[in-house]
């Protein structure tokens, strides 16, 4: 069989139907024409070398009145603006959870630094923080204020309500310090979790992704709560709200008053009219 050379014009014909576009290309993906011949595009190239903190979830692109183009990119950690080949971090700070006068604990050869705050820091693992006004470090650490101020860190662990740990880019080369120096903690406003969990939809409540810690105590009225009771005495009701819900055993109840002086929860509406008998170790939440 004699081979015949087929000539196909370069470019894609998107005006005619495929049947009518005889001898022409009608469609393709990631294809360009070079010297009249089709070839694949070699792939995407990175716009910038910098990496964004977190997993990108949304992007918004716009131009200002001068024609300059911007892109806002939101991740599960930060909000940044891309302009003219660079990223600019515009994530707001969580001013309600500022902490001043914190200090550091370091260990020789370790990149882990423990931050101890003067009060409860309200931070969760994974939150992004920065520091300000660092200084007054002793001779047993080689870290300086420049290693902390205006640098971004991710909370690694939260051992207590007044301590959390971060990871430094380099290990401690000094002998190590314990509760040394001062610095101010400046947390970012938390955006949300990396992986969305089951719930009632994004943004319905606790938009920032925080969780409410469980409050527990025990009953202090001989361990009994019988049918018809509308109040219960707790060992400690100081951390409960003035009204809300409690769970005793497997029963959820609503209440309207909390007398923290006598640790009495009253105005209780029961779910069931069947007798309930609980022991003194039953947890409440």
């Amino acid at each position: 069989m004699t081979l015949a050379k087929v000539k196909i014009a370069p470019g894609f014909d998107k005006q005619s139907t495929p049947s009518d576009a005889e001898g022409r290309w009608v469609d393709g993906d990631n294809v360009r024409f070079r010297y009249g011949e089709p070839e694949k595009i070699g792939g995407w190239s990175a716009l910038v070398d910098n990496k964004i903190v977190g997993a990108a979830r949304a992007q918004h692109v716009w131009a200002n009145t001068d024609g300059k183009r911007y892109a806002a990119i939101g991740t599960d950690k930060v909000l940044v603006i891309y302009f003219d080949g660079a990223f600019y971090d515009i994530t707001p700070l969580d001013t309600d959870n500022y902490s001043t006068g914190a200090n550091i604990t370091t260990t020789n050869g370790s990149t882990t630094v423990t931050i101890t705050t003067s009060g409860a820091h309200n931070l969760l693992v994974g939150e992004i923080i920065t520091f300000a006004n660092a200084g007054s470090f002793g001779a047993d650490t080689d870290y300086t204020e420049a290693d902390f101020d205006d640098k971004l860190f991710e909370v690694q662990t939260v051992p207590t309500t007044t301590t959390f740990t971060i990871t430094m880019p380099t290990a401690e080369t000094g002998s190590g310090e314990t509760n040394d120096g001062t610095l101010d903690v400046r947390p970012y406003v938390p955006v949300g979790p990396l992986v969305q969990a089951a719930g009632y939809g994004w943004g319905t409540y606790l938009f920032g992704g925080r969780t409410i810690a469980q409050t527990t105590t025990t009953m202090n009225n001989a361990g009994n709560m019988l049918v018809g009771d509308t109040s219960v005495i707790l060992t400690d009701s100081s951390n409960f709200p003035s009204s809300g819900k409690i769970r005793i055993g497997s029963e959820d109840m609503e209440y309207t008053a909390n007398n923290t002086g006598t640790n009495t929860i009253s105005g209780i509406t029961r779910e069931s009219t069947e007798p309930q008998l609980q022991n003194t170790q039953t947890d409440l939440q």
Side-chain angles (χ1 to χ4, degrees):
M1 182 182 201
T2 303
L3 298 179
K5 186 175 183 180
V6 177
K7 285 197 172 284
I8 303 177
F12 293 112
D13 185 352
K14 306 303 291 185
Q15 302 297 319
S16 306
T17 66
S19 298
D20 190 46
E22 183 178 354
R24 285 168 288 179
W25 301 98
V26 296
D27 201 3
D29 185 33
N30 288 330
V31 176
R32 68 178 179 178
F33 290 86
R34 189 166 179 262
Y35 298 112
E37 300 293 334
E39 67 177 22
K40 67 178 182 180
I41 296 176
W44 303 100
S45 60
L47 190 63
V48 293
D49 294 330
N50 296 341
K51 290 181 171 53
I52 303 176
V53 178
R57 288 290 181 255
Q59 175 177 285
H60 176 68
V61 179
W62 77 98
N64 66 6
T65 55
D66 295 329
K68 297 178 179 178
R69 297 185 63 81
Y70 299 85
I73 303 172
T75 77
D76 64 304
K77 302 288 187 183
V78 298
L79 175 63
V80 297
I81 294 292
Y82 171 79
F83 172 69
D84 198 21
F87 289 113
Y88 300 89
D89 189 344
I90 62 168
T91 312
L93 296 176
D94 187 2
T95 56
D96 291 336
N97 285 303
Y98 273 11
S99 178
T100 61
N103 49 51
I104 67 172
T105 296
T106 66
T107 304
N108 176 261
S110 174
T111 58
T112 298
V113 174
T114 300
I115 308 297
T116 302
T117 57
S118 57
H121 51 65
N122 297 320
L123 294 174
L124 300 175
V125 173
E127 289 194 30
I128 302 298
I129 61 170
T130 186
F131 297 102
N133 304 318
S136 302
F137 300 131
D140 292 331
T141 178
D142 286 333
Y143 292 133
T144 67
E145 57 270 17
D147 295 316
F148 294 93
D149 283 349
D150 300 322
K151 301 292 193 304
L152 293 187
F153 297 91
E154 184 177 34
V155 177
Q156 299 297 314
T157 64
V158 183
T160 70
T161 58
T162 58
T163 61
F164 63 91
T165 64
I166 60 174
T167 300
M168 301 296 288
T170 58
E172 170 71 274
T173 56
S175 59
E177 294 282 3
T178 300
N179 294 334
D180 180 63
T182 59
L183 68 171
D184 299 339
V185 181
R186 300 288 187 261
Y188 274 21
V189 169
V191 179
L194 174 63
V195 179
Q196 196 65 4
Y200 294 103
W202 181 254
T204 55
Y205 184 52
L206 295 176
F207 177 81
R210 292 186 180 275
T211 57
I212 299 177
Q214 187 181 68
T215 301
T216 62
T217 186
T218 54
M219 296 171 62
N220 195 31
N221 59 335
N224 297 324
M225 188 174 183
L226 301 178
V227 61
D229 286 350
T230 59
S231 65
V232 62
I233 301 175
L234 307 179
T235 302
D236 182 8
S237 68
S238 59
N239 291 324
F240 286 77
S242 58
S243 62
K245 294 183 178 181
I246 59 173
R247 174 176 293 173
I248 301 178
S250 61
E251 182 184 357
D252 292 325
M253 312 175 189
E254 293 186 1
Y255 67 93
T256 59
N258 175 14
N259 186 333
T260 56
T262 61
N263 295 315
T264 301
I265 298 291
S266 59
I268 292 177
T269 302
R270 306 286 297 274
E271 276 193 341
S272 172
T273 58
E274 296 179 1
Q276 302 287 328
L277 187 61
Q278 307 293 342
N279 61 45
T280 57
Q281 298 302 313
T282 301
D283 286 339
L284 304 181
Q285 63 182 18

